[in-house]
Amino acid sequence: MRLSRYFLPLLKETPAEAQIVSHRLMLRAGMLRQEAAGIYAWLPLGHRVLQKVEQIVREEMDRAGAVELLMPTLQLADLWRESGRYDDYGAEMLRITDRHERELLYGPTNEEMITEIFRAYVRSYKALPKNLYHIQWKFRDEQRPRFGVMRGREFLMKDAYSFDVDEAAGKAAYNRMFVAYLRLFKRMGLSAIPMKAETGPIGGDLSHEFIVLAQTGESQVFLDRRMLDLPVPGEDVDYEGDLEPIVTDWTRLYAATEDVHDADRYGRETPEADQITARGIEVGQTFFFGDKYSKPMKAVVSGPDGVERPVQMGSYGVGVSRLLGAIIEASHDEAGIIWPDAVAPFGVGIVNLRPGDAATDRACEEAYVALKQGGKEPLLDDTDERPGGKFAAMDLIGLPWQLIIGPRGLAEGKVEVKRRASGERHTLPLVEALSMMGA
RNA sequence: CGGGGCGUGGCGCAGUCUGGUAGCGCAUCUGCUUUGGGAGCAGAGGGUCGCAGGUUCAAAUCCUGCCGCCCCGACCA
């Protein structure tokens, strides 16, 4: 992409409404525009990152055996009356009436709908296990939206739902999601720690919140330092096999958010030297809730014994749009965002220091084509902006690599490569620069 | 939902107390000079002062009502 043709409205000054760093940087970097409290338009740069994050979630869900579908944003109120949640859900649920006076709602989640879909088609244990997910916009009419995209009213969420014949199979399905979550957050460059979570009225102890550690996190968390060193399962993890050992490894050590923190247990189980108190951002949550919805909504399957029983369900959410905020909270400096390679909107920013200079233009063009062919998704700054402004802009939008090309360096046959994360720079011939960046 | 604050060119703000026909910085446009870490000079454009009523000769400024947004708290993926 050539910057001169792109749409990247950068802000030199921070809009007054933004307080936390990720919100400020997203506005300044031209990723986001607020349209109403907690409702945002995703500008091209933000949209690209959103899609990258979404794609990683999708790949890891698919790898774990989940199947993607897409449910609508609007749902019928009657569906929610079946589970009893229409009345339980408070003002957070956005209720809408259509021209026929039918009551609708903008879905805050999809347990009811997925259960309805499942029960319409599945009757036998032989069709199980199943895990269906979608990535869709949700709406929760928060009383007080804040922190930009981290607590908006409209948000993009991946939610998966597992269906199993009995509790043991349900637990295995839960484990698959647990492992998939470890992997997908890791791929985004995040260290997300599963922490025991409140299950609320659902009961049982099978629920975890996945928390990203960041200094500016919204809530306080307590954990065993050794959790940070646990190995994340690789691409070759066998989702057909027994994942219990991995889950046990990741749940044995103490890790809790402030609302479920047990100071006595913490002191007992975790050596003082390994105790960490930090701030965290919740980016995902896993639940196993058995027949909470399948029972009232009559989603039943026949077992091998010919007896019909409610299917055992779990649900697994990832806050896709929220993740952008979390990633920035966890990865930025004074100058701007530092994107992890896997989610960066562009792989390399090429800075043409002197557009109009024949040799410089030629070298930039050569680099642009090579990087593009190498799948590096370059963004070429071919604007008339002054060098200082270009450098500041590149640092702000946080592309992993900067390739700086100008007449001064070219006179020596060299260009400069800068790694955004470390600030490390190298002056070297263009070919070498390209191979350094993997093109 | 309780408490506090704010709404003035695209962005950041001053002006409001004490009414007199709107200003600063950045950004934008034009010209010239500049060009390796947010340039200089000269000129230009752009504002129903959140909205609606009211008071007044006169309202960004005073009064009433409404709307929007932000912060702290309670609540939440």
Side-chain angles (χ1 to χ4, degrees):
Chain A
M1 179 58 62
R2 291 166 202 279
L3 187 56
S4 60
R5 301 179 61 183
Y6 201 52
F7 185 72
L8 186 68
L10 301 180
L11 267 32
K12 197 180 269 188
E13 285 168 291
T14 304
E17 76 253 22
Q19 294 301 314
I20 63 159
V21 64
S22 61
H23 190 194
R24 290 154 75 142
L25 289 174
M26 288 179 87
L27 293 173
R28 287 195 54 214
M31 298 174 65
L32 208 62
R33 173 163 182 86
Q34 179 164 330
E35 294 295 340
I39 299 178
Y40 298 88
W42 294 81
L43 303 182
L45 194 76
H47 186 233
R48 285 184 76 102
V49 181
L50 194 63
Q51 289 188 313
K52 297 261 162 127
V53 169
E54 187 180 326
Q55 188 54 27
I56 290 175
V57 172
R58 177 174 290 121
E59 286 171 14
E60 292 305 324
M61 292 305 291
D62 292 350
R63 196 195 303 279
V67 180
E68 186 172 13
L69 47 58
L70 183 59
M71 291 179 270
T73 53
L74 295 180
Q75 308 184 26
L76 280 172
D78 284 343
L79 189 56
W80 283 63
R81 292 203 170 94
E82 280 192 51
S83 69
R85 284 210 294 183
Y86 190 70
D87 297 320
D88 292 352
Y89 232 99
E92 273 202 344
M93 183 150 81
L94 180 63
R95 294 153 210 259
I96 300 166
T97 307
D98 72 9
R99 57 160 59 182
H100 302 295
E101 299 293 309
R102 265 192 290 263
E103 295 172 273
L104 299 169
L105 58 99
Y106 196 123
T109 177
N110 285 69
E111 276 85 5
E112 283 80 358
M113 188 175 283
I114 199 72
T115 305
E116 187 277 324
I117 290 170
F118 178 87
R119 77 177 173 196
Y121 302 110
V122 182
R123 287 273 114 82
S124 163
Y125 76 96
K126 292 178 185 169
L128 302 181
K130 280 282 175 290
N131 184 318
L132 302 173
Y133 77 97
H134 76 341
I135 300 174
Q136 176 64 292
W137 291 93
K138 308 270 192 290
F139 195 91
R140 290 184 196 171
D141 200 355
E142 297 284 346
Q143 302 171 40
R144 192 190 156 205
R146 63 182 124 171
F147 305 144
V149 103
M150 301 240 285
R151 190 173 170 192
R153 290 193 292 171
E154 188 183 46
F155 55 97
L156 187 61
M157 181 174 170
K158 184 284 300 179
D159 40 325
Y161 303 90
S162 63
F163 302 89
D164 289 277
V165 66
D166 57 28
E167 217 178 307
K171 171 80 200 312
Y174 184 93
N175 287 349
R176 286 193 288 275
M177 287 294 102
F178 188 100
V179 170
Y181 276 28
L182 292 176
R183 284 192 42 74
L184 67 87
F185 292 125
K186 168 82 172 183
R187 275 189 63 188
M188 293 172 203
L190 292 174
S191 169
I193 310 292
M195 304 197 182
K196 205 176 205 15
E198 293 215 61
T199 48
I202 295 165
D205 62 347
L206 211 46
S207 178
H208 292 90
E209 288 181 350
F210 285 72
I211 307 278
V212 167
L213 303 184
Q215 290 184 334
T216 45
E218 51 193 341
S219 57
Q220 189 140 66
V221 297
F222 305 85
L223 71 153
D224 192 313
R225 181 185 304 280
R226 290 169 291 183
M227 287 213 76
L228 299 173
D229 302 325
L230 290 173
V232 171
E235 222 173 272
D236 57 346
V237 62
D238 179 15
Y239 281 106
E240 302 301 317
D242 182 12
L243 299 172
E244 190 64 33
I246 298 175
V247 174
T248 303
D249 264 358
W250 278 89
T251 51
R252 190 172 38 208
L253 295 169
Y254 189 92
T257 56
E258 55 194 334
D259 25 293
V260 295
H261 181 53
D262 179 343
D264 289 342
R265 238 195 80 201
Y266 189 37
R268 217 163 42 239
E269 295 180 8
T270 308
E272 209 162 318
D274 286 326
Q275 292 182 7
I276 304 181
T277 302
R279 309 288 303 175
I281 302 164
E282 184 186 341
V283 288
Q285 183 158 15
T286 51
F287 280 107
F288 179 71
F289 48 69
D291 61 6
K292 179 180 163 76
Y293 299 93
S294 55
K295 200 166 175 184
M297 294 185 66
K298 302 187 177 55
V300 298
V301 290
S302 307
D305 54 3
V307 179
E308 287 192 334
R309 40 178 83 77
V311 70
Q312 296 289 308
M313 294 177 60
S315 76
Y316 316 89
V318 169
V320 175
S321 49
R322 163 181 279 202
L323 268 167
L324 298 238
I327 291 168
I328 295 171
E329 291 294 330
S331 182
H332 68 272
D333 63 16
E334 257 90 280
I337 301 168
I338 302 172
W339 290 116
D341 296 67
V343 299
F346 295 96
V348 181
I350 307 170
V351 178
N352 183 334
L353 287 173
R354 190 85 55 91
D357 177 82
T360 308
D361 287 348
R362 205 178 318 116
C364 286
E365 208 56 35
E366 191 187 323
Y368 182 68
V369 169
L371 288 165
K372 208 167 167 181
Q373 282 174 355
K376 293 292 161 190
E377 300 182 295
L379 177 67
L380 169 60
D381 187 346
D382 55 349
T383 64
D384 287 327
E385 189 69 26
R386 303 171 60 77
K390 293 188 173 188
F391 292 134
M394 279 300 169
D395 285 348
L396 175 61
I397 67 174
L399 306 185
W401 295 98
Q402 293 172 19
L403 177 59
I404 299 152
I405 303 179
R408 192 178 297 177
L410 286 178
E412 321 268 307
K414 298 203 171 147
V415 298
E416 184 180 323
V417 171
K418 174 177 162 185
R419 182 71 176 159
R420 176 65 178 90
S422 60
E424 206 181 330
R425 298 147 187 262
H426 300 275
T427 302
L428 68 190
L430 180 57
V431 242
E432 288 174 32
L434 293 175
S435 81
M436 176 179 234
M437 294 181 291

